[in-house]
Amino acid sequence: MKKKILAMTAAAAVAASAGASDKIVIDGSTTVGPIAKAFAEYYMAANPDVNITVSESGSGNGAKAMMNANCEIAIMSRPMKQTEFKAAAEKGIQPVAHVVALDGLPLLVHPSNPVQDLTVEQVRKIYLGEISNWKEVGGPDKAIVTISRDTNSGTYETFAKLIMNKEKIGGKCEYVGSNGAIRQRVQSTPAAIGYAGLGFVDKTVKALKINGIYPSTETVQTGEYPVARPLFMYTDGYPRLGSPLYQFVTIHLTEDGQEMVEEIGFVPVTAY
């Protein structure tokens, strides 16, 4: 993808103010992180006077970084909460949401696991601990190892809302700090189940159908896949038109931006 992005950059129309030196600090979601990094590489190649850094500390920490004026863009895999809006407003920050892509939340298992399909209710019972062995859902006689994102994650919040119906995950669940760590844990654990963004599905893990629907860009785009969400970049107010910050948070609307979102594995908003 890198060569393609650089090739596109040569003809990119995006350009910052001539001679201007600027800095954009980005912090937040590990799901949105790959999009932000691809956009940053693309933008800085065309605008060498602009320095962009991307940190992936989780959606909640991204929101806190924005409230504390420690970043220009908070990347989040969930909408900002009312409590976060209130805390930001008390500090003079006015968060503005930019939806940069759409995402499904696939349930991932080891490729050797014969189970192909679960219902939302079965997944909920697995994470509650009410279903604890794969043989109860048509799999081998092995205890299920549940893996979850940490509770400060936007991915966790989406899972809690769309799957758990706000019920608390069972005590034996293992919590990890990133989507990549979820995939890595499932890769190495034949009895594991975890969840991550659509862009983290590859040949090393198997995504299950949920309610008979396979998670893909097409089923997210059509609204068929039942566990889907928008992905956000938040700025303090709407960026000044023509500024590097404005150009950055509108890359997803360009053809190059849409292609980058697709190549990473997510769904462009323009395709919805």
Side-chain angles (χ1 to χ4, degrees), residues 167-225:
E167 288 190 85
K168 190 175 180 180
I169 289 176
K172 291 185 178 179
C173 185
E174 178 182 330
Y175 294 86
V176 299
S178 69
N179 282 270
I182 289 261
R183 180 173 58 188
Q184 189 174 30
R185 192 74 178 90
V186 172
Q187 287 170 350
S188 61
T189 311
I193 184 170
Y195 56 90
L198 202 58
F200 291 84
V201 178
D202 61 19
K203 293 179 180 177
T204 66
V205 292
K206 183 169 76 175
L208 299 177
K209 291 180 181 177
I210 299 297
N211 294 350
I213 305 296
Y214 186 79
S216 67
T217 54
E218 291 75 19
T219 57
V220 169
Q221 186 179 330
T222 59
E224 293 177 89
Y225 186 66

Side-chain angles (χ1 to χ4, degrees), residues 3-196:
K3 287 183 178 179
K4 191 170 186 179
I5 290 173
L6 291 176
M8 290 188 298
T9 300
V14 175
S17 301
S21 178
D22 219 320
K23 181 176 73 172
I24 298 174
V25 176
I26 301 171
D27 193 5
S29 165
T30 67
T31 304
V32 191
I35 298 174
K37 287 177 178 175
F39 285 6
E41 181 181 3
Y42 171 82
Y43 191 86
M44 287 191 293
N47 302 275
D49 291 326
V50 179
N51 181 46
I52 303 174
T53 61
V54 181
S55 299
E56 298 170 280
S57 63
S59 295
N61 287 330
K64 290 175 185 173
M66 168 157 280
M67 291 173 208
N68 294 323
N70 290 329
C71 70
E72 281 73 41
I73 298 175
I75 49 178
M76 301 184 67
S77 60
R78 60 164 173 79
M80 197 169 278
K81 300 173 184 176
Q82 285 302 314
T83 53
E84 292 168 333
F85 272 115
K86 184 174 183 294
E90 288 173 351
K91 294 188 175 184
I93 304 291
Q94 298 180 321
V96 171
H98 309 268
V99 176
V100 296
L102 303 172
D103 185 24
L105 202 59
L107 271 295
L108 305 177
V109 298
H110 193 272
S112 65
N113 192 325
V115 173
Q116 303 288 339
D117 196 343
L118 292 173
T119 65
V120 168
E121 183 62 12
Q122 285 173 322
V123 176
R124 188 180 71 84
K125 287 185 176 181
I126 287 172
Y127 276 86
L128 286 173
E130 295 177 4
I131 295 176
S132 58
N133 192 299
W134 281 110
K135 69 180 180 182
E136 298 175 69
V137 290
D141 184 10
K142 289 183 179 178
I144 299 174
V145 179
T146 53
I147 315 293
S148 172
R149 283 299 317 277
D150 57 285
T151 56
N152 197 42
S153 158
T155 300
Y156 169 86
E157 301 245 5
T158 299
F159 184 81
K161 179 180 178 182
L162 299 180
I163 295 286
M164 299 305 296
N165 195 25
K166 298 294 184 182
E167 288 190 85
K168 190 175 180 180
I169 289 176
K172 291 185 178 179
C173 185
E174 178 182 330
Y175 294 86
V176 299
S178 69
N179 282 270
I182 289 261
R183 180 173 58 188
Q184 189 174 30
R185 192 74 178 90
V186 172
Q187 287 170 350
S188 61
T189 311
I193 184 170
Y195 56 90

